Amino acid sequence: MDRREPTPYISLPAEGHRGVDEHSVALIIEPTSWSAVLDALAELEASTASDERLLLTLDNLPQCLYTSGHARNRHDLDGDVEYPDDDSPAALYSYETAVIRTALDALNDPERAEPWESLAVDSIDSAVVDALAVLNRQPERLFETTHVVQRAQVPTPADLLASIPNGYFEGDWSPFASHTVARRMHDEHGYALIGVGASTLAFQRTAAASPDPSALIADVQHLYGAADSPAWDEVRDAVTDSPILVLGYAEDFVELAD
């Protein structure tokens, strides 16, 4: 008998269940571990087209979607795409695809990009590092009752941010900053973006990741400062033992560690 933990997802569309939009392909219900979530994503990826990628919603979906809408407007990520008169699933899917492509073009515009060097933080706030340590030791803190899996036709994991761009409030990373970070995590360290929440980003370690996280930790310190905090050793230990890397892009992400 197979005693493995069941994969907790519902494929969409399904009667009585709703996702975010027509690009929602599944709901992951009451996950109990990241291994189960990663198994679910792997199963869903097996039936996903080769030019498409999957993105998981994380903490506080309503707030995530609310601020994402404002972030699109604030940073002009939706361009002049007009909402269709026809609200059929096919028409809405085409509209949403055009919105994603507009955001994708903006995020990859060199003139609008935020260089990695500009994201350096000179801070002594060790509470931020303490929160990173907690969230990377216990990434299940990002779990909600329901997570939505979105599908998008984008070339790289970082480009999934075109699906749910975020970073609206002062003190948050902008969508362009998060895109730069996600690209850096993937290209330099082998961590692929797989999730976005109201205040966090989640990355999955790939085969390209180094078993020694020293360079990764140095780059994360670049983003948060407080290099003398002893909690960086806890962050290092946590990411060494976990397939998941959690970063906070919103100023209030530390509240998830309380």
Side-chain angles (χ1 to χ4, degrees), residues 123-130 224-226 229 254:
S123 170
I124 58 172
D125 185 4
S126 61
V128 172
V129 189
D130 292 339
Y224 297 100
S229 170
V254 296

Side-chain angles (χ1 to χ4, degrees), residues 50-242:
S50 60
D51 60 349
E52 295 177 327
R53 298 178 185 274
L54 302 179
L55 181 69
L56 180 73
T57 66
L58 300 174
D59 54 288
N60 198 342
L61 178 59
Q63 179 70 13
C64 176
L65 297 179
Y66 174 79
T67 52
S68 179
H70 283 292
R72 284 186 186 277
N73 293 332
R74 177 177 181 178
H75 298 283
D76 191 24
L77 297 178
D78 51 6
D80 299 322
V81 181
E82 295 185 2
Y83 195 85
D85 294 329
D86 175 9
D87 62 355
S88 67
L92 290 175
Y93 187 87
S94 295
Y95 162 75
E96 295 159 9
T97 298
V99 170
I100 291 171
R101 287 176 178 168
T102 300
L104 180 63
D105 289 343
L107 291 175
N108 284 283
D109 183 348
E111 294 186 0
R112 302 186 68 185
E114 293 196 31
W116 172 255
E117 293 73 21
S118 72
L119 302 181
V121 170
D122 183 14
S123 170
I124 58 172
D125 185 4
S126 61
V128 172
V129 189
D130 292 339
L132 284 173
V134 170
L135 294 178
N136 280 284
R137 281 199 313 268
Q138 304 170 24
E140 293 80 10
R141 284 175 176 258
L142 305 187
F143 285 169
E144 304 281 345
T145 301
T146 302
H147 298 264
V148 185
V149 181
Q150 295 292 107
R151 175 180 59 199
Q153 188 178 44
V154 295
T156 74
D159 290 333
L160 283 166
L161 289 170
S163 177
I164 308 179
N166 227 317
Y168 169 64
F169 297 110
E170 294 297 330
D172 295 352
W173 295 347
S174 74
F176 301 98
S178 289
H179 188 252
T180 295
V181 171
R183 206 168 49 208
R184 178 87 174 189
M185 293 300 108
H186 180 261
D187 295 351
E188 298 295 328
H189 304 296
Y191 280 79
L193 180 74
I194 60 166
V196 59
S199 60
T200 62
L201 303 173
F203 301 82
Q204 183 178 7
R205 184 169 58 195
T206 71
S210 170
D212 180 357
S214 297
L216 170 65
I217 296 300
D219 270 358
V220 179
Q221 288 177 338
H222 174 87
L223 296 170
Y224 297 100
D228 294 333
S229 170
W232 282 116
D233 289 336
E234 298 178 44
V235 177
R236 170 194 285 269
D237 291 344
V239 301
T240 300
D241 296 334
S242 173

